[in-house]
Amino acid sequence: MPPHFFVKYNNRGQTPKDIFTDTHKDPVKDGSEWLSKTSESCSVVAALIATVAFATSSTVPGGVKEGIGVPTLEGKPAFNIFTISSLVALCSSVTALVFFLSILTSRNQEEDFLWTCLGSFCLV
């Protein structure tokens, strides 16, 4: 909608924002409920994945050498791949968990659904 239309009023004295708010109460409520339910489900899954990722990143595959405390498989490519992928999994799952929890604690009001972004181009 062109910006100069936002200051216009209709015959009932309503602005386009007032009309939008009145006609879109149900979709905002439904969208908020859907977002909360989806975020709850994803939070549970992300927490389970974070738990497993933490367990795998804190254990050393192959064990450690007695007396020295050095991993048995140290220096082997498979060991390096495992440790790096385990760390990436842990960081990713904790980041996803934080994002889902932030969605759960958001207020989900009309203004939150106002932005439409396509790549780096955002519309209001």
Side-chain angles (χ1 to χ4, degrees):
M1 184 180 306
H4 66 276
F5 281 178
F6 286 109
V7 294
K8 303 281 184 178
Y9 292 91
N10 66 3
N11 295 338
R12 295 184 203 142
Q14 297 173 312
T15 63
K17 183 176 180 353
D18 296 335
I19 295 170
F20 181 84
T21 301
D22 290 342
T23 58
H24 288 82
K25 285 181 182 177
D26 290 336
V28 168
K29 181 181 159 213
D30 293 342
S32 177
E33 289 175 6
W34 174 82
L35 191 61
S36 294
K37 287 179 184 177
T38 303
S39 184
E40 279 180 26
S41 302
C42 292
S43 295
V44 170
V45 172
L48 292 173
I49 292 172
T51 303
V52 171
F54 177 76
T56 57
S57 67
S58 63
T59 58
V60 178
V64 292
K65 294 179 183 175
E66 289 292 324
I68 306 173
V70 177
T72 307
L73 302 175
E74 184 180 32
K76 299 203 177 185
F79 180 76
N80 293 336
I81 291 171
F82 174 80
T83 55
I84 291 170
S85 62
S86 177
L87 181 63
V88 168
L90 178 63
C91 292
S92 300
S93 60
V94 169
T95 302
L97 185 60
V98 168
F99 282 147
F100 289 127
L101 290 176
S102 69
I103 290 172
L104 272 175
T105 59
S106 67
R107 53 188 185 168
N108 295 329
Q109 293 181 349
E110 176 189 340
E111 292 83 21
D112 298 333
F113 297 97
L114 187 62
W115 290 85
T116 301
C117 293
L118 303 168
S120 62
F121 181 71
C122 291
L123 301 171
V124 177

